[in-house]
Amino acid sequence: MSVKFSRYLPVLDWGRRYDREALSNDMIAAVIVTIMLIPQSLAYALLAGLPPEAGIYASIVPILLYAVFGTSRALAVGPVAVVSLMTAAAIGNIAETGTMGYALAALTLAFLSGAMLLVMGVFKLGFLANFLSHPVIAGFITASGILIAASQVKHILGVRSEGHTLIEVVETLIAHLGETNAITLVIGVSATAFLFWVRKGLKPRLRALGLGPKMADVLTKAGPVAAVFVTTLATWALGLSERGVSVVGEVPQSLPPLTMPSFSPDLLSQLFVPALLISVIGFVESISVAQTLAAKKRQRIDPDQELIGLGAANIGAAFTGGYPVTGGFARSVVNFDAGAETPAAGAFTAVGLAIAAVALTPLVFFLPKATLAATIIVAVLSLVDFSILKKTWTYSKADFFAVAATILLTLGFGVETGVSAGVILSVGLHLYKTSKPHVAEVGLVPGTQHFRNINRHKVETHEALLTLRVDESLYFVNARYLEDLIQDRLASGQKIRNVVLMCSAVNEIDYSALESLEAINTRLKDLGIGLHLSEVKGPVTDKLGKTHFLDQLNGRVFQSQYDAWRSLTGAPRPLPASESAA
């Protein structure tokens, strides 16, 4: 019974082995991550079009719930840039930013996303995320990074800007360029330059001054806090808010409130597709980070349980004033590098953020929005990776066009269109690649029992025997392709008497493919040609055994291709090693 419970409550597993050393490591990691998350959470909430406190609220209860239900020891759950942008895009056309309807839509979006993730987890549907290919995901994240950075330029300039596509954002920025606030521009550019320098130059400088690697790393991660402190102090001391510098303003000094998402059928229907896209993208980002970090410590991640953990986190956000969350790359890496041993580090981080929500929020009243924008820009530009275009162009033109299309569609039509196109392109790319499976004509390598492609190796062939190695499972998309290939090969004029399908790489034959095989068998039988199978895997044989195909087969099923070769060509059986030596 305990094993069953620990399957759905991983906390029961790692909690039994929790010790003082793990506690110490988790506490240190929590302090470092909390320092980083305070400005980041405020910034991502503004990116989503929500009040800044929503970012902190979305980083407290969701983290606690993930610590109970999640399987990753280092994943840090909360608001992330891409999901924040997708949230703004999803509810921007439903309600006006800053209204109660907008906040309610954000809560409902988190609830819908959480419910979908929970359902997927319970029914073990984590494999669905595999339908998004990595190149397409990389293209989507690159385009999203550009969109996010462009959307924050308005805060750097101190002007108004709207739009969900790159063209719309750039057009409105140009239209309002003359309204640029010089002081805001100085703050924004200075903060951006400082944060870029912190990322690249601060740690080497601190190490050169004699600081240890851990302390240097902590101070580097605290760079955004320094930017927040200096610009907030300057804005307050110099009265810059009265000179046009936009500030965060009053943030409620409280723990996350109890909230209720809407269950209006109309709103739920409007948010269903965006919630599904956010769920898929959020899960893909989260599981990628979790598995990468787990591999470094030889730990195991359960994708289906991760769906449950993320689902619980999002539902928690919906009832505590937050918005959709997932496992973030930057915060998770910081958590891992800081020495987090268990999900308890996330729970301690939640406590730290709760203390900040109660005690520190008055201190951010004069925090310039330009500083938060700089924090976002520096964070998301690290996600932009145009090298994926060069890599895919060199390796696979089909992957290149899928990546390029995803980037262009995301920039030109918005994140929802981009991610929808990404899913369609990923599935389409898979279907395209498998619709024409690699089928090689093979021959016997002299002196061995191995068979290789006749176009790549010097092999023995027989004029009356055609052996085709099928290097893909057979299903409805590619079934007809094999029919056409055999037909074309028979039309070449060679006096073929037997055809062997070498099935060592065939893991599945669906009903459409079975019908194609039956059609091939009938056609070859009418021509007086035998159809044989070799090296058929057990599960495939079992499925074929449930039909009449094997009984009606105009040939035999051979255990090995060499047996088929020897039987159909009349080649002598090789002598045993002892007789050969004699």
Side-chain angles (χ1 to χ4, degrees):
M1 183 66 72
S2 62
V3 174
K4 186 176 179 180
F5 271 114
S6 63
R7 160 70 177 82
Y8 293 101
L9 292 173
V11 65
L12 298 178
D13 180 31
W14 60 262
R16 284 195 296 265
R17 298 188 296 273
Y18 203 65
D19 55 24
R20 184 173 298 179
E21 182 181 357
L23 173 64
S24 174
N25 291 334
D26 285 344
M27 289 287 285
I28 294 171
V31 171
I32 295 172
V33 174
T34 301
I35 292 172
M36 184 191 82
L37 285 190
I38 292 173
Q40 194 180 78
S41 298
L42 297 172
Y44 288 156
L46 292 178
L47 175 60
L50 293 163
E53 64 269 18
I56 294 181
Y57 295 161
S59 300
I60 298 178
V61 172
I63 295 178
L64 292 173
L65 288 171
Y66 180 81
V68 174
F69 294 101
T71 60
S72 172
R73 304 294 179 94
L75 192 70
V77 172
V80 299
V82 173
V83 170
S84 297
L85 178 66
M86 293 179 72
T87 297
I91 60 182
N93 296 324
I94 296 176
E96 186 177 345
T97 305
T99 63
M100 287 296 294
Y102 192 95
L104 183 62
L107 297 174
T108 307
L109 189 63
F111 175 80
L112 262 179
S113 178
M116 289 176 179
L117 289 165
L118 275 178
V119 170
M120 290 170 68
V122 170
F123 288 98
K124 302 184 183 302
L125 301 179
F127 69 91
L128 291 176
N130 297 332
F131 285 102
L132 269 174
S133 69
H134 179 266
V136 167
I137 294 172
F140 171 72
I141 291 178
T142 291
S144 297
I146 295 170
L147 265 181
I148 293 168
S151 72
Q152 296 306 296
V153 173
K154 63 182 179 184
H155 295 302
I156 301 292
L157 300 177
V159 301
R160 290 179 300 163
S161 174
E162 298 176 354
H164 298 301
T165 70
L166 186 63
I167 295 174
E168 292 172 351
V169 171
V170 171
E171 283 180 346
T172 54
L173 282 174
I174 293 173
H176 294 92
L177 200 57
E179 304 168 11
T180 300
N181 183 290
I183 300 175
T184 300
L185 180 62
V186 170
I187 293 173
V189 171
S190 300
T192 303
F194 171 74
L195 291 174
F196 271 121
W197 175 79
V198 164
R199 283 203 160 201
K200 297 291 179 73
L202 181 58
K203 189 172 182 178
R205 182 68 59 87
L206 293 174
R207 295 286 287 126
L209 292 174
L211 265 69
K214 268 199 170 182
M215 182 56 67
D217 194 53
V218 170
L219 292 177
T220 300
K221 297 296 188 299
V225 177
V228 166
F229 176 77
V230 171
T231 55
T232 301
L233 183 62
T235 303
W236 168 73
L238 301 176
L240 300 182
S241 61
E242 299 174 2
R243 299 169 65 180
V245 174
S246 180
V247 297
V248 169
E250 186 175 355
V251 177
Q253 194 173 352
S254 68
L255 291 172
L258 289 176
T259 52
M260 181 68 69
S262 171
F263 297 102
S264 162
D266 183 49
L267 182 59
L268 291 174
S269 64
Q270 286 180 286
L271 293 176
F272 183 86
V273 173
L276 179 60
L277 297 177
I278 286 174
S279 299
V280 172
I281 289 295
F283 174 65
V284 169
E285 179 177 353
S286 179
I287 198 68
S288 299
V289 176
Q291 289 179 334
T292 299
L293 298 179
K296 293 182 178 181
K297 289 191 175 181
R298 299 186 179 183
Q299 294 169 347
R300 179 179 173 275
I301 298 298
D302 182 347
D304 294 318
Q305 184 61 29
E306 283 297 289
L307 284 166
I308 294 175
L310 292 173
N314 276 278
I315 289 177
F319 288 97
T320 54
Y323 67 99
V325 298
T326 192
F329 176 77
R331 65 180 67 192
S332 298
V333 171
V334 171
N335 196 36
F336 180 85
D337 290 343
E341 292 283 344
T342 71
F348 297 143
T349 299
V351 173
L353 289 170
I355 294 171
V358 172
L360 302 181
T361 49
L363 301 179
V364 300
F365 184 96
F366 290 102
L367 171 59
K369 290 185 178 179
T371 303
L372 294 180
T375 302
I376 293 174
I377 290 172
V378 173
V380 300
L381 286 183
S382 64
L383 302 175
V384 176
D385 178 22
F386 283 113
S387 68
I388 190 67
L389 291 170
K390 181 180 178 181
K391 293 173 183 175
T392 52
W393 176 262
T394 303
Y395 188 76
S396 168
K397 298 298 187 292
D399 282 327
F400 167 80
F401 287 116
V403 173
T406 302
I407 291 175
L408 293 174
L409 288 171
T410 302
L411 294 177
F413 297 95
V415 290
E416 286 188 26
T417 301
V419 71
S420 300
V423 173
I424 294 171
L425 286 170
S426 295
V427 175
L429 198 59
H430 170 73
L431 294 177
Y432 170 75
K433 289 178 178 179
T434 57
S435 67
K436 296 182 178 180
H438 182 259
V439 179
E441 183 174 347
V442 298
L444 179 65
V445 178
T448 74
Q449 296 184 16
H450 302 294
F451 290 78
R452 294 292 184 268
N453 192 327
I454 64 172
N455 296 319
R456 293 177 178 270
H457 303 272
K458 292 182 179 180
V459 293
E460 296 178 11
T461 59
H462 193 282
E463 63 176 0
L465 178 64
L466 171 65
T467 298
L468 298 176
R469 189 188 67 220
V470 184
D471 293 333
E472 183 70 63
S473 291
L474 296 174
Y475 69 121
F476 66 95
V477 171
N478 60 25
R480 188 57 187 263
Y481 178 80
L482 184 61
E483 282 190 63
D484 295 339
L485 187 69
I486 293 176
Q487 187 68 24
D488 292 343
R489 186 65 182 80
L490 293 177
S492 65
Q494 183 179 336
K495 298 180 180 179
I496 296 172
R497 290 290 174 263
N498 290 286
V499 174
V500 180
L501 297 182
M502 186 175 174
C503 302
S504 52
V506 177
N507 297 314
E508 175 71 21
I509 297 177
D510 75 356
Y511 194 78
S512 296
L514 174 64
E515 290 184 330
S516 287
L517 289 176
E518 290 174 340
I520 293 170
N521 183 58
T522 301
R523 189 174 297 119
L524 293 181
K525 187 175 183 178
D526 292 341
L527 294 173
I529 299 174
L531 174 64
H532 311 270
L533 306 179
S534 73
E535 302 187 9
V536 184
K537 293 186 175 180
V540 177
T541 302
D542 293 341
K543 288 192 70 173
L544 293 178
K546 296 177 182 178
T547 71
H548 298 294
F549 175 71
L550 296 179
D551 296 331
Q552 298 171 354
L553 186 65
N554 183 36
R556 296 170 53 191
V557 178
F558 294 95
Q559 285 286 88
S560 72
Q561 179 55 34
Y562 185 73
D563 288 341
W565 167 271
R566 188 177 51 78
S567 175
L568 299 175
T569 63
R573 180 186 297 272
L575 293 174
S578 58
E579 295 182 33
S580 178

